[in-house]
Amino acid sequence: MLEFRTQGYNGYGVKYSPFFDSRIAVASSANFGLVGNGRLYILGLTANGIVAEKWFDTQDSLFDTAWSEAHESQLLTAGGDGSVKLFDTNVAQFPIQSWSEHAREVFSVHWNLVAKDTFLSSSWDGTVKIWNPNRNASITTLPTHSCTYSAQFSPHAPALVSSVSSDSHLRVFDLRTPASASNHLTLSIALHTPPTPRIGTPAPVGVAPSEALTHDWNKYRDTIVAAAGVDRLIRVFDIRMPGAGPIAVLPGHEYAVRRLSWSPHLSDLLLSASYDMTCRVWTDGSALGAAGPDVAGDAMVYGGGREMGRMGRHTEFVTGVDWCLFGAEGWCASTAWDERVMVWDARALMR
């Protein structure tokens, strides 16, 4: 396990470069993001450990980062001052572009994996904005009417945008539809809807709504989305069946789940980061034989998923986690409020 100290800055987001297996970006904030500056680290994995290749200081906290899918040296930041900034590692200390349309903190940024000329941002102001890096203003604004912690483009369809918000809803927008009164909204799923009961079992009890903090699209199954948040449960949905509730529910975290990431290598594997100071690896039960006898009689597990292993080396809230796209299928990175970035192999932890 490799480790790097972000001295004086608490981690919020970590992302592997889509171009290099040895480069990682980390968004961090002084004073836990409550007040003060932010710092974007560009870290390199070397034979001598993790080294800081470059960093950019910002006047306000940073809550997320995303690499450009078009330029290997460029990456975005989500700022506590409502700004979205584009940095280039080949340029000095200043961003090459900055946008300030959001009225409150920007909490997530995401680059379109298919149409590589667009990216998005989501904010506590209740909007998701679509951008082109060559334009000075946003292309489209998608209202969610609630604090939006996470938004993404689908990795399968460049016009599909999803978000989760403080009102405990997963929303899917289709930019190909007319704007009209729905503002491209095509689907809204209440995350606390109980799953459809199995044959011969009593109907499950509904769960009180709570804030949704994170979600991620499955990289292989284009209708599968996982979401999680304050109520500690990870839920897996099939957007083809929005009224059926989750197809899998994964309990286990002791505090809120802050970040989810589906594996880029295996269709059933999911990584989570939580305020309980752990990162956990899960299977959603979709792979043949995933549901073994140890979960068959557990009433809390729905869909045959289970925890495969956990990493508990962090000593504060874990806020970011990401898989490496290259090489062996288990390498990942995590960052936390303990001012540490860790790179580790999930396969070593899986039972």
Side-chain angles (χ1 to χ4, degrees), residues 26 50 78 89 129 176 246:
V26 179
I50 305 176
T89 59
K129 290 182 179 287
R176 297 167 295 187

PDB file of all heavy atoms in Angstrom, residues 26 50 78 89 129 176 246:
ATOM      1  N   VAL A  26      -5.954  14.883  -6.947  1.00  0.00           N
ATOM      2  CA  VAL A  26      -6.640  14.932  -5.657  1.00  0.00           C
ATOM      3  C   VAL A  26      -7.127  16.355  -5.408  1.00  0.00           C
ATOM      4  O   VAL A  26      -6.342  17.309  -5.457  1.00  0.00           O
ATOM      5  CB  VAL A  26      -5.712  14.492  -4.501  1.00  0.00           C
ATOM      6  CG1 VAL A  26      -6.448  14.567  -3.164  1.00  0.00           C
ATOM      7  CG2 VAL A  26      -5.181  13.095  -4.743  1.00  0.00           C
ATOM      8  N   ILE A  50       4.812   7.666  -3.920  1.00  0.00           N
ATOM      9  CA  ILE A  50       3.975   8.701  -4.522  1.00  0.00           C
ATOM     10  C   ILE A  50       4.649  10.055  -4.343  1.00  0.00           C
ATOM     11  O   ILE A  50       5.052  10.421  -3.232  1.00  0.00           O
ATOM     12  CB  ILE A  50       2.578   8.724  -3.880  1.00  0.00           C
ATOM     13  CG1 ILE A  50       1.921   7.343  -3.954  1.00  0.00           C
ATOM     14  CG2 ILE A  50       1.693   9.758  -4.563  1.00  0.00           C
ATOM     15  CD1 ILE A  50       0.568   7.265  -3.261  1.00  0.00           C
ATOM     16  N   ALA A  78     -14.143  21.518  -8.718  1.00  0.00           N
ATOM     17  CA  ALA A  78     -15.419  22.020  -8.206  1.00  0.00           C
ATOM     18  C   ALA A  78     -15.127  22.842  -6.966  1.00  0.00           C
ATOM     19  O   ALA A  78     -14.577  22.326  -5.986  1.00  0.00           O
ATOM     20  CB  ALA A  78     -16.349  20.851  -7.878  1.00  0.00           C
ATOM     21  N   THR A  89      -1.764  21.087 -16.557  1.00  0.00           N
ATOM     22  CA  THR A  89      -0.534  20.804 -15.820  1.00  0.00           C
ATOM     23  C   THR A  89       0.701  21.397 -16.483  1.00  0.00           C
ATOM     24  O   THR A  89       1.762  21.483 -15.852  1.00  0.00           O
ATOM     25  CB  THR A  89      -0.341  19.283 -15.660  1.00  0.00           C
ATOM     26  OG1 THR A  89      -0.280  18.671 -16.957  1.00  0.00           O
ATOM     27  CG2 THR A  89      -1.494  18.673 -14.873  1.00  0.00           C
ATOM     28  N   LYS A 129     -25.296  21.936 -14.510  1.00  0.00           N
ATOM     29  CA  LYS A 129     -24.994  22.732 -15.697  1.00  0.00           C
ATOM     30  C   LYS A 129     -24.095  21.945 -16.653  1.00  0.00           C
ATOM     31  O   LYS A 129     -23.166  21.258 -16.216  1.00  0.00           O
ATOM     32  CB  LYS A 129     -24.332  24.064 -15.320  1.00  0.00           C
ATOM     33  CG  LYS A 129     -25.287  25.048 -14.624  1.00  0.00           C
ATOM     34  CD  LYS A 129     -24.610  26.369 -14.315  1.00  0.00           C
ATOM     35  CE  LYS A 129     -25.570  27.336 -13.647  1.00  0.00           C
ATOM     36  NZ  LYS A 129     -26.575  27.867 -14.589  1.00  0.00           N
ATOM     37  N   ARG A 176     -31.601  14.957 -25.508  1.00  0.00           N
ATOM     38  CA  ARG A 176     -32.171  14.868 -26.851  1.00  0.00           C
ATOM     39  C   ARG A 176     -33.651  15.231 -26.864  1.00  0.00           C
ATOM     40  O   ARG A 176     -34.211  15.482 -27.936  1.00  0.00           O
ATOM     41  CB  ARG A 176     -31.982  13.450 -27.400  1.00  0.00           C
ATOM     42  CG  ARG A 176     -30.540  13.036 -27.580  1.00  0.00           C
ATOM     43  CD  ARG A 176     -30.413  11.548 -27.815  1.00  0.00           C
ATOM     44  NE  ARG A 176     -30.838  10.780 -26.630  1.00  0.00           N
ATOM     45  CZ  ARG A 176     -30.713   9.472 -26.509  1.00  0.00           C
ATOM     46  NH1 ARG A 176     -30.156   8.778 -27.491  1.00  0.00           N
ATOM     47  NH2 ARG A 176     -31.114   8.854 -25.413  1.00  0.00           N
ATOM     48  N   PRO A 246     -35.176  -0.863  -5.686  1.00  0.00           N
ATOM     49  CA  PRO A 246     -33.831  -1.360  -5.999  1.00  0.00           C
ATOM     50  C   PRO A 246     -33.825  -2.854  -6.304  1.00  0.00           C
ATOM     51  O   PRO A 246     -34.620  -3.613  -5.752  1.00  0.00           O
ATOM     52  CB  PRO A 246     -33.042  -1.056  -4.722  1.00  0.00           C
ATOM     53  CG  PRO A 246     -34.073  -0.981  -3.640  1.00  0.00           C
ATOM     54  CD  PRO A 246     -35.301  -0.427  -4.284  1.00  0.00           C
TER      55      PRO A 246
END
